[in-house]
Coordinates of all heavy atoms in Angstrom, one line a residue:
M1 N 56.2 -21.2 56.7 CA 57.1 -20.4 57.6 C 56.5 -20.4 59.0 O 55.3 -20.5 59.2 CB 57.1 -19.0 57.0 CG 58.0 -18.1 57.8 SD 58.1 -16.5 57.0 CE 58.6 -15.5 58.4
L2 N 57.4 -20.4 59.9 CA 57.0 -20.4 61.3 C 56.5 -19.1 61.8 O 57.0 -18.0 61.4 CB 58.2 -20.8 62.2 CG 58.8 -22.2 61.8 CD1 60.1 -22.3 62.6 CD2 57.9 -23.3 62.2
P3 N 55.4 -19.1 62.6 CA 54.9 -17.8 63.0 C 55.6 -17.2 64.2 O 54.9 -16.7 65.1 CB 53.4 -18.2 63.4 CG 53.6 -19.6 63.9 CD 54.7 -20.2 63.0
I4 N 56.9 -17.2 64.2 CA 57.6 -16.7 65.3 C 57.5 -15.2 65.5 O 57.1 -14.7 66.6 CB 59.1 -17.0 65.2 CG1 59.3 -18.6 65.1 CG2 60.0 -16.4 66.3 CD1 60.7 -19.0 64.6
L5 N 57.7 -14.4 64.4 CA 57.6 -13.0 64.5 C 56.2 -12.5 64.9 O 56.0 -11.7 65.8 CB 58.1 -12.3 63.2 CG 59.6 -12.5 63.0 CD1 59.9 -11.9 61.6 CD2 60.4 -11.8 64.1
P6 N 55.1 -13.0 64.2 CA 53.8 -12.6 64.5 C 53.4 -12.9 66.0 O 52.8 -12.1 66.6 CB 52.9 -13.3 63.6 CG 53.7 -13.6 62.4 CD 55.1 -13.9 63.0
L7 N 53.8 -14.1 66.4 CA 53.5 -14.4 67.8 C 54.2 -13.5 68.8 O 53.6 -13.0 69.8 CB 53.9 -15.9 68.1 CG 53.8 -16.4 69.5 CD1 52.3 -16.3 70.0 CD2 54.3 -17.8 69.7
T8 N 55.5 -13.3 68.6 CA 56.3 -12.4 69.5 C 55.7 -11.0 69.5 O 55.5 -10.4 70.5 CB 57.7 -12.4 69.0 OG1 58.2 -13.7 69.0 CG2 58.6 -11.6 69.9
Q9 N 55.4 -10.5 68.3 CA 54.9 -9.1 68.2 C 53.5 -9.0 68.8 O 53.2 -8.0 69.5 CB 54.8 -8.7 66.7 CG 56.2 -8.5 66.2 CD 56.3 -8.3 64.7 OE1 55.3 -8.5 64.0 NE2 57.4 -7.9 64.2
A10 N 52.7 -10.0 68.7 CA 51.3 -10.0 69.3 C 51.5 -10.0 70.8 O 50.7 -9.2 71.5 CB 50.5 -11.2 68.9
L11 N 52.4 -10.8 71.4 CA 52.6 -10.8 72.8 C 53.1 -9.4 73.3 O 52.8 -8.9 74.3 CB 53.5 -11.9 73.2 CG 52.8 -13.3 73.1 CD1 53.9 -14.4 73.3 CD2 51.7 -13.5 74.2
Q12 N 54.0 -8.8 72.5 CA 54.6 -7.6 72.8 C 53.5 -6.5 72.9 O 53.4 -5.7 73.8 CB 55.6 -7.1 71.8 CG 56.9 -7.9 72.0 CD 57.9 -7.5 70.9 OE1 57.6 -7.6 69.7 NE2 59.1 -7.0 71.3
M13 N 52.6 -6.5 71.9 CA 51.5 -5.5 71.8 C 50.5 -5.7 73.0 O 50.0 -4.8 73.6 CB 50.8 -5.5 70.5 CG 51.7 -5.0 69.4 SD 50.8 -4.8 67.8 CE 50.7 -6.5 67.3
R14 N 50.2 -7.0 73.2 CA 49.2 -7.3 74.2 C 49.6 -7.0 75.6 O 48.9 -6.5 76.5 CB 48.8 -8.8 74.1 CG 47.8 -9.3 75.1 CD 46.4 -8.8 74.8 NE 45.4 -9.5 75.6 CZ 44.9 -8.9 76.7 NH1 45.2 -7.6 77.0 NH2 44.0 -9.5 77.5
H15 N 50.9 -7.3 75.9 CA 51.4 -7.2 77.3 C 52.5 -6.2 77.5 O 53.0 -6.1 78.6 CB 51.9 -8.6 77.7 CG 50.9 -9.7 77.6 ND1 49.9 -9.8 78.6 CD2 50.7 -10.7 76.7 CE1 49.2 -10.9 78.3 NE2 49.6 -11.4 77.1
G16 N 52.8 -5.4 76.5 CA 53.9 -4.4 76.6 C 53.6 -3.3 77.6 O 54.6 -2.8 78.3
A17 N 52.4 -2.9 77.9 CA 52.1 -1.9 78.8 C 52.4 -2.4 80.3 O 52.9 -1.6 81.1 CB 50.6 -1.5 78.8
R18 N 52.1 -3.6 80.5 CA 52.4 -4.1 81.9 C 53.8 -4.7 82.1 O 54.2 -4.8 83.2 CB 51.4 -5.3 82.2 CG 50.0 -4.7 82.6 CD 49.1 -5.8 82.9 NE 48.6 -6.4 81.6 CZ 48.1 -7.5 81.4 NH1 48.0 -8.4 82.4 NH2 47.8 -7.9 80.2
H19 N 54.4 -5.0 81.0 CA 55.8 -5.5 81.0 C 56.7 -4.7 80.1 O 56.9 -5.1 78.9 CB 55.8 -7.0 80.6 CG 54.9 -7.9 81.4 ND1 55.3 -8.4 82.7 CD2 53.6 -8.4 81.2 CE1 54.3 -9.1 83.2 NE2 53.3 -9.1 82.3
P20 N 57.2 -3.6 80.5 CA 58.0 -2.7 79.7 C 59.2 -3.4 79.0 O 59.7 -3.0 78.0 CB 58.5 -1.6 80.6 CG 57.5 -1.6 81.7 CD 57.1 -3.0 81.9
G21 N 59.7 -4.5 79.7 CA 60.9 -5.2 79.1 C 60.5 -5.9 77.8 O 61.5 -6.2 77.0
L22 N 59.3 -6.0 77.5 CA 58.9 -6.7 76.2 C 59.1 -5.7 75.0 O 59.1 -6.2 73.9 CB 57.4 -7.1 76.3 CG 57.0 -8.2 77.2 CD1 55.5 -8.4 77.1 CD2 57.7 -9.5 76.7
R23 N 59.2 -4.4 75.3 CA 59.3 -3.5 74.2 C 60.7 -3.5 73.6 O 61.5 -2.6 73.9 CB 58.9 -2.1 74.7 CG 57.5 -2.1 75.2 CD 57.1 -0.7 75.7 NE 56.2 -0.7 76.8 CZ 56.1 0.2 77.7 NH1 56.8 1.3 77.6 NH2 55.2 0.0 78.7
R24 N 61.0 -4.5 72.9 CA 62.3 -4.7 72.3 C 62.2 -4.8 70.8 O 61.3 -5.5 70.4 CB 63.0 -5.9 72.8 CG 63.1 -6.0 74.3 CD 64.3 -5.2 74.7 NE 64.7 -5.5 76.1 CZ 65.9 -5.8 76.5 NH1 66.8 -5.9 75.6 NH2 66.1 -6.0 77.8
A25 N 63.1 -4.2 70.1 CA 63.1 -4.4 68.6 C 63.7 -5.8 68.3 O 63.4 -6.4 67.3 CB 63.9 -3.3 68.0
N26 N 64.7 -6.2 69.1 CA 65.4 -7.5 68.8 C 64.5 -8.7 69.2 O 64.0 -8.8 70.4 CB 66.7 -7.5 69.6 CG 67.5 -8.8 69.4 OD1 67.0 -9.9 69.7 ND2 68.7 -8.6 68.8
T27 N 64.2 -9.5 68.3 CA 63.2 -10.6 68.5 C 63.7 -11.6 69.6 O 63.0 -12.0 70.5 CB 62.9 -11.4 67.2 OG1 62.4 -10.4 66.3 CG2 61.9 -12.5 67.4
L28 N 65.0 -11.9 69.6 CA 65.5 -12.9 70.6 C 65.4 -12.3 72.0 O 65.1 -13.0 73.0 CB 67.0 -13.3 70.3 CG 67.1 -14.2 69.1 CD1 68.6 -14.4 68.8 CD2 66.4 -15.6 69.4
H29 N 65.7 -11.0 72.1 CA 65.6 -10.3 73.4 C 64.1 -10.3 73.9 O 63.8 -10.5 75.1 CB 66.1 -8.9 73.4 CG 67.6 -8.9 73.3 ND1 68.3 -7.8 72.7 CD2 68.6 -9.8 73.6 CE1 69.6 -8.0 72.7 NE2 69.8 -9.2 73.2
A30 N 63.2 -10.1 72.9 CA 61.8 -10.1 73.3 C 61.3 -11.4 73.7 O 60.6 -11.6 74.7 CB 61.0 -9.6 72.1
I31 N 61.8 -12.5 73.1 CA 61.5 -13.9 73.5 C 62.0 -14.1 74.9 O 61.2 -14.7 75.7 CB 62.0 -14.9 72.5 CG1 61.2 -14.7 71.1 CG2 61.8 -16.3 73.0 CD1 61.8 -15.6 70.0
R32 N 63.2 -13.7 75.2 CA 63.7 -13.9 76.6 C 62.8 -13.1 77.6 O 62.5 -13.7 78.7 CB 65.1 -13.4 76.7 CG 66.1 -14.3 76.1 CD 67.5 -13.9 76.4 NE 68.3 -14.3 75.3 CZ 69.0 -13.4 74.5 NH1 69.0 -12.2 74.7 NH2 69.7 -13.9 73.5
E33 N 62.3 -11.9 77.2 CA 61.5 -11.2 78.1 C 60.1 -11.9 78.3 O 59.5 -11.8 79.4 CB 61.3 -9.7 77.6 CG 62.6 -8.9 77.7 CD 63.1 -8.7 79.2 OE1 62.2 -8.6 80.1 OE2 64.3 -8.6 79.4
I34 N 59.6 -12.5 77.2 CA 58.3 -13.2 77.3 C 58.5 -14.3 78.3 O 57.6 -14.6 79.1 CB 58.0 -13.7 75.9 CG1 57.5 -12.5 75.0 CG2 56.8 -14.7 76.0 CD1 57.4 -12.8 73.5
A35 N 59.6 -15.0 78.3 CA 59.8 -16.1 79.2 C 60.0 -15.6 80.6 O 59.4 -16.1 81.6 CB 61.1 -16.9 78.8
A36 N 60.7 -14.5 80.8 CA 60.9 -13.9 82.1 C 59.5 -13.4 82.7 O 59.3 -13.5 83.9 CB 61.9 -12.7 82.0
A37 N 58.7 -12.9 81.9 CA 57.3 -12.4 82.3 C 56.4 -13.6 82.5 O 55.2 -13.4 82.9 CB 56.8 -11.4 81.4
E38 N 56.8 -14.8 82.1 CA 56.0 -16.0 82.2 C 54.7 -15.9 81.4 O 53.6 -16.4 81.8 CB 55.7 -16.4 83.7 CG 56.9 -16.7 84.5 CD 56.7 -17.0 85.9 OE1 55.5 -16.7 86.4 OE2 57.6 -17.5 86.6
L39 N 54.8 -15.3 80.2 CA 53.7 -15.2 79.3 C 53.5 -16.5 78.5 O 52.4 -16.8 78.1 CB 53.8 -14.0 78.4 CG 53.9 -12.7 79.1 CD1 54.1 -11.6 78.1 CD2 52.6 -12.4 79.8
L40 N 54.6 -17.2 78.3 CA 54.7 -18.6 77.7 C 55.6 -19.4 78.6 O 56.5 -18.9 79.2 CB 55.2 -18.5 76.3 CG 54.3 -17.9 75.2 CD1 55.1 -17.9 73.9 CD2 53.0 -18.6 75.1
P41 N 55.4 -20.7 78.6 CA 56.3 -21.6 79.3 C 57.8 -21.4 78.8 O 58.0 -21.2 77.6 CB 55.8 -23.0 79.1 CG 54.4 -22.8 78.7 CD 54.3 -21.5 78.0
A42 N 58.7 -21.5 79.7 CA 60.2 -21.3 79.4 C 60.6 -22.3 78.3 O 61.3 -21.9 77.4 CB 61.0 -21.4 80.6
A43 N 60.1 -23.5 78.3 CA 60.5 -24.5 77.3 C 60.0 -24.0 75.9 O 60.7 -24.2 74.9 CB 59.9 -25.8 77.6
D44 N 58.8 -23.5 75.8 CA 58.2 -23.0 74.6 C 59.1 -21.8 74.0 O 59.3 -21.7 72.9 CB 56.8 -22.6 74.7 CG 55.9 -23.8 74.9 OD1 56.3 -24.9 74.8 OD2 54.7 -23.5 75.2
C45 N 59.5 -20.9 75.0 CA 60.3 -19.8 74.6 C 61.6 -20.2 74.1 O 62.2 -19.7 73.1 CB 60.4 -18.8 75.7 SG 58.9 -17.9 76.1
A46 N 62.2 -21.3 74.7 CA 63.5 -21.8 74.2 C 63.3 -22.4 72.8 O 64.2 -22.2 72.0 CB 64.0 -22.9 75.2
T47 N 62.3 -23.1 72.6 CA 62.0 -23.6 71.3 C 61.8 -22.5 70.2 O 62.4 -22.6 69.1 CB 60.7 -24.5 71.3 OG1 61.0 -25.6 72.2 CG2 60.5 -25.1 69.9
L48 N 61.1 -21.5 70.6 CA 60.9 -20.3 69.7 C 62.2 -19.7 69.3 O 62.5 -19.3 68.2 CB 59.9 -19.3 70.3 CG 58.5 -19.5 70.2 CD1 57.7 -18.5 71.0 CD2 58.0 -19.6 68.8
A49 N 63.0 -19.5 70.4 CA 64.3 -18.8 70.2 C 65.2 -19.6 69.2 O 65.9 -19.1 68.3 CB 65.0 -18.6 71.5
E50 N 65.2 -20.9 69.4 CA 66.1 -21.8 68.6 C 65.5 -21.8 67.2 O 66.3 -21.7 66.2 CB 66.1 -23.2 69.1 CG 67.0 -24.2 68.3 CD 68.4 -23.7 68.2 OE1 69.0 -23.0 69.0 OE2 69.0 -23.9 67.1
Q51 N 64.2 -21.9 67.0 CA 63.6 -21.9 65.6 C 63.9 -20.5 65.0 O 64.2 -20.5 63.8 CB 62.2 -22.1 65.7 CG 61.8 -23.5 66.1 CD 60.3 -23.7 66.2 OE1 59.5 -22.8 66.3 NE2 59.9 -25.0 66.3
Y52 N 63.9 -19.5 65.7 CA 64.2 -18.1 65.1 C 65.6 -18.1 64.7 O 65.9 -17.6 63.6 CB 63.9 -17.0 66.2 CG 64.2 -15.6 65.6 CD1 63.3 -15.1 64.7 CD2 65.3 -14.9 66.0 CE1 63.5 -13.8 64.1 CE2 65.5 -13.7 65.5 CZ 64.6 -13.1 64.5 OH 64.9 -11.9 64.0
R53 N 66.6 -18.6 65.5 CA 68.0 -18.6 65.1 C 68.2 -19.4 63.8 O 68.9 -19.0 62.9 CB 68.8 -19.2 66.2 CG 69.0 -18.3 67.4 CD 70.0 -18.9 68.4 NE 69.9 -18.3 69.6 CZ 69.2 -18.7 70.7 NH1 68.5 -19.8 70.6 NH2 69.1 -18.0 71.8
V54 N 67.5 -20.6 63.7 CA 67.6 -21.4 62.5 C 67.1 -20.6 61.3 O 67.7 -20.6 60.2 CB 66.9 -22.7 62.7 CG1 66.8 -23.5 61.4 CG2 67.6 -23.6 63.7
L55 N 65.9 -20.0 61.5 CA 65.3 -19.2 60.4 C 66.2 -18.1 60.0 O 66.4 -17.9 58.7 CB 64.0 -18.7 60.9 CG 63.2 -17.8 59.9 CD1 62.7 -18.7 58.7 CD2 61.9 -17.2 60.6
R56 N 66.8 -17.4 60.9 CA 67.7 -16.3 60.6 C 68.9 -16.8 59.8 O 69.3 -16.1 58.8 CB 68.1 -15.5 61.8 CG 67.1 -14.7 62.5 CD 66.7 -13.5 61.7 NE 67.9 -12.6 61.7 CZ 68.0 -11.6 60.9 NH1 67.1 -11.3 60.0 NH2 69.1 -10.9 60.9
R57 N 69.5 -17.9 60.3 CA 70.7 -18.4 59.6 C 70.4 -18.8 58.2 O 71.1 -18.5 57.2 CB 71.3 -19.6 60.3 CG 72.1 -19.2 61.5 CD 72.9 -20.4 62.1 NE 72.0 -21.5 62.6 CZ 71.7 -21.6 63.9 NH1 72.1 -20.8 64.7 NH2 70.9 -22.6 64.2
S58 N 69.2 -19.5 57.9 CA 68.9 -19.9 56.6 C 68.5 -18.7 55.7 O 68.9 -18.7 54.5 CB 67.7 -20.9 56.6 OG 66.5 -20.3 57.1
T59 N 67.9 -17.7 56.3 CA 67.6 -16.5 55.5 C 68.9 -15.8 55.1 O 69.0 -15.4 53.9 CB 66.7 -15.5 56.3 OG1 65.5 -16.2 56.7 CG2 66.3 -14.3 55.5
I60 N 69.8 -15.6 56.0 CA 71.1 -14.9 55.7 C 71.8 -15.7 54.6 O 72.4 -15.2 53.7 CB 71.9 -14.7 57.0 CG1 71.2 -13.7 57.9 CG2 73.3 -14.3 56.6 CD1 71.8 -13.6 59.3
A61 N 71.8 -17.1 54.8 CA 72.6 -17.9 53.8 C 72.0 -17.8 52.4 O 72.7 -17.7 51.4 CB 72.6 -19.3 54.3
S62 N 70.6 -17.8 52.3 CA 70.0 -17.7 51.0 C 70.2 -16.3 50.4 O 70.4 -16.1 49.2 CB 68.5 -18.0 51.1 OG 67.8 -17.0 51.8
C63 N 70.3 -15.3 51.2 CA 70.5 -13.9 50.7 C 71.9 -13.8 50.2 O 72.2 -13.1 49.2 CB 70.3 -12.9 51.8 SG 68.6 -12.6 52.2
R64 N 72.9 -14.5 50.8 CA 74.3 -14.4 50.3 C 74.4 -15.2 49.0 O 75.3 -14.9 48.2 CB 75.2 -15.0 51.4 CG 75.4 -14.1 52.6 CD 76.3 -14.7 53.5 NE 76.4 -13.7 54.7 CZ 76.8 -14.1 55.9 NH1 77.2 -15.3 56.1 NH2 76.9 -13.2 56.8
S65 N 73.6 -16.2 48.8 CA 73.8 -17.0 47.6 C 73.0 -16.4 46.4 O 73.3 -16.8 45.2 CB 73.3 -18.4 47.8 OG 71.9 -18.4 48.1
E66 N 72.1 -15.5 46.6 CA 71.4 -14.9 45.5 C 72.1 -13.7 45.0 O 72.7 -12.9 45.8 CB 70.0 -14.5 45.9 CG 69.1 -15.7 46.2 CD 67.7 -15.2 46.7 OE1 67.3 -14.0 46.5 OE2 67.0 -16.0 47.2
P67 N 72.0 -13.4 43.7 CA 72.6 -12.1 43.2 C 71.7 -11.0 43.6 O 70.5 -11.1 43.9 CB 72.5 -12.3 41.6 CG 71.4 -13.3 41.4 CD 71.4 -14.2 42.6
P68 N 72.3 -9.8 43.8 CA 71.6 -8.6 44.2 C 70.5 -8.3 43.2 O 70.6 -8.5 42.0 CB 72.6 -7.5 44.3 CG 73.8 -8.0 43.6 CD 73.7 -9.5 43.5
R69 N 69.3 -7.9 43.8 CA 68.2 -7.5 42.9 C 68.2 -6.0 42.7 O 68.5 -5.2 43.6 CB 66.9 -8.0 43.6 CG 66.8 -9.4 43.7 CD 65.5 -9.8 44.4 NE 65.5 -11.2 44.6 CZ 64.6 -11.8 45.4 NH1 63.7 -11.1 46.0 NH2 64.7 -13.1 45.5
Q70 N 67.7 -5.6 41.5 CA 67.5 -4.2 41.2 C 66.1 -3.8 41.5 O 65.2 -4.6 41.4 CB 67.8 -4.0 39.7 CG 69.2 -4.3 39.3 CD 70.2 -3.2 39.9 OE1 69.9 -2.1 40.0 NE2 71.4 -3.7 40.2
A71 N 66.0 -2.6 42.0 CA 64.7 -2.0 42.3 C 63.9 -1.9 40.9 O 64.5 -1.5 39.9 CB 64.8 -0.7 42.9
P72 N 62.6 -2.2 41.0 CA 61.8 -2.0 39.8 C 61.8 -0.6 39.3 O 61.8 0.3 40.1 CB 60.4 -2.4 40.2 CG 60.6 -3.3 41.4 CD 61.8 -2.8 42.1
G73 N 62.0 -0.4 38.0 CA 62.0 1.0 37.5 C 63.4 1.5 37.4 O 63.6 2.6 36.9
S74 N 64.4 0.8 37.9 CA 65.8 1.4 37.8 C 66.2 1.2 36.4 O 65.7 0.5 35.6 CB 66.7 0.6 38.8 OG 66.9 -0.7 38.3
R75 N 67.3 1.9 36.0 CA 67.8 1.9 34.6 C 68.2 0.5 34.2 O 68.0 0.1 33.1 CB 69.0 2.9 34.5 CG 68.6 4.3 34.6 CD 69.8 5.2 34.5 NE 69.4 6.5 34.9 CZ 69.5 7.5 34.0 NH1 69.9 7.3 32.8 NH2 69.1 8.7 34.4
V76 N 68.7 -0.3 35.1 CA 69.2 -1.6 34.7 C 68.0 -2.5 34.4 O 68.0 -3.2 33.4 CB 70.0 -2.3 35.9 CG1 70.3 -3.7 35.6 CG2 71.2 -1.4 36.1
M77 N 66.9 -2.3 35.1 CA 65.7 -3.1 34.8 C 64.9 -2.6 33.6 O 64.3 -3.3 32.9 CB 64.7 -3.1 36.1 CG 65.3 -3.8 37.3 SD 65.3 -5.6 37.0 CE 63.6 -6.0 37.1
R78 N 65.0 -1.3 33.4 CA 64.2 -0.7 32.3 C 64.7 -1.1 30.9 O 63.8 -1.3 30.0 CB 64.3 0.8 32.5 CG 62.9 1.5 32.2 CD 63.0 3.0 32.4 NE 63.1 3.2 33.8 CZ 63.6 4.4 34.3 NH1 64.1 5.3 33.5 NH2 63.8 4.6 35.6
A79 N 66.0 -1.3 30.7 CA 66.5 -1.6 29.4 C 65.9 -2.8 28.8 O 65.4 -2.8 27.7 CB 68.0 -1.7 29.5
P80 N 65.8 -4.0 29.5 CA 65.2 -5.2 28.9 C 63.7 -5.0 28.6 O 63.3 -5.5 27.6 CB 65.5 -6.3 30.0 CG 66.5 -5.8 30.8 CD 66.5 -4.3 30.8
I81 N 63.1 -4.2 29.5 CA 61.6 -4.0 29.3 C 61.4 -3.2 28.0 O 60.5 -3.5 27.2 CB 61.0 -3.3 30.5 CG1 61.0 -4.3 31.7 CG2 59.6 -2.8 30.2 CD1 60.6 -3.6 33.0
E82 N 62.2 -2.1 27.8 CA 62.1 -1.3 26.6 C 62.4 -2.1 25.4 O 61.8 -1.9 24.4 CB 63.0 -0.1 26.8 CG 62.4 0.9 27.8 CD 63.4 2.0 28.1 OE1 64.5 2.1 27.6 OE2 63.0 2.8 29.0
R83 N 63.4 -3.0 25.4 CA 63.7 -3.8 24.3 C 62.5 -4.7 23.9 O 62.2 -4.9 22.8 CB 65.0 -4.7 24.6 CG 66.3 -3.9 24.3 CD 67.4 -4.9 24.3 NE 67.6 -5.6 25.5 CZ 68.4 -5.3 26.5 NH1 69.2 -4.3 26.3 NH2 68.5 -6.0 27.6
R84 N 61.9 -5.3 25.0 CA 60.7 -6.2 24.7 C 59.6 -5.4 24.1 O 58.9 -5.8 23.2 CB 60.3 -6.8 26.0 CG 61.1 -8.1 26.3 CD 60.5 -8.8 27.5 NE 61.4 -8.5 28.6 CZ 61.1 -8.3 29.9 NH1 59.9 -8.4 30.2 NH2 62.0 -8.1 30.8
R85 N 59.4 -4.2 24.6 CA 58.3 -3.3 24.0 C 58.5 -3.0 22.5 O 57.7 -3.1 21.7 CB 58.2 -2.0 24.8 CG 57.5 -2.2 26.1 CD 57.4 -0.9 26.8 NE 56.9 -1.0 28.2 CZ 57.1 -0.1 29.1 NH1 57.7 1.0 28.9 NH2 56.6 -0.4 30.3
S86 N 59.8 -2.7 22.2 CA 60.1 -2.3 20.8 C 59.9 -3.6 19.9 O 59.5 -3.4 18.8 CB 61.5 -1.7 20.7 OG 62.5 -2.7 21.0
S87 N 60.3 -4.8 20.4 CA 60.1 -6.0 19.6 C 58.7 -6.3 19.4 O 58.3 -6.9 18.4 CB 60.9 -7.1 20.2 OG 60.3 -7.5 21.4
I88 N 57.8 -6.0 20.4 CA 56.4 -6.2 20.2 C 55.8 -5.3 19.2 O 54.9 -5.7 18.4 CB 55.7 -6.1 21.6 CG1 56.1 -7.2 22.5 CG2 54.2 -6.1 21.4 CD1 55.7 -7.0 24.0
R89 N 56.2 -4.1 19.1 CA 55.7 -3.1 18.2 C 56.1 -3.4 16.8 O 55.4 -3.0 15.8 CB 56.2 -1.7 18.6 CG 55.6 -1.2 19.9 CD 56.2 0.2 20.1 NE 55.9 0.5 21.5 CZ 56.6 1.3 22.2 NH1 57.7 1.9 21.7 NH2 56.3 1.6 23.5
S90 N 57.2 -4.1 16.6 CA 57.7 -4.3 15.2 C 56.8 -5.3 14.5 O 56.1 -6.1 14.9 CB 59.1 -4.9 15.2 OG 59.9 -4.0 16.0

């Protein structure tokens, strides 16, 4: 996995006091602000932004193709576990 988020967040934490524009929740906006503050070369920021867009698209696509997951301990998940426990005891 690409270290886009950790790099962006590290730069936000390190330079956020001097560059208030970096204090963004949106990663793409933060990358633009990093370029504007000249904390990284503009070409590197453009590459980071493009890689982040690709990562987001692939993550969203994979989430759409997977069935929804149940939270551990929910009733739907508990039933198969209880059946396995009863078969082990027999």
Side-chain angles (χ1 to χ4, degrees):
M1 183 171 156
L2 301 170
I4 299 165
L5 292 174
L7 174 64
T8 303
Q9 291 168 350
L11 289 168
Q12 287 175 304
M13 288 187 286
R14 175 77 171 101
H15 300 283
R18 282 180 281 158
H19 303 279
L22 291 176
R23 299 182 214 156
R24 303 280 191 127
N26 183 296
T27 302
L28 287 174
H29 292 154
I31 292 171
R32 282 189 213 119
E33 292 294 330
I34 289 167
E38 298 179 345
L39 300 175
L40 289 177
D44 291 350
C45 288
T47 301
L48 279 176
E50 182 55 33
Q51 289 176 347
Y52 181 73
R53 284 185 198 97
V54 170
L55 179 66
R56 290 286 296 163
R57 280 193 296 265
S58 66
T59 301
I60 290 169
S62 69
C63 288
R64 288 182 181 159
S65 65
E66 291 180 15
R69 296 180 184 167
Q70 295 292 325
S74 69
R75 290 177 190 245
V76 175
M77 292 290 288
R78 219 177 291 156
I81 293 171
E82 289 170 1
R83 279 194 297 261
R84 277 186 254 146
R85 285 182 186 159
S86 65
S87 66
I88 292 171
R89 291 181 195 149
S90 307

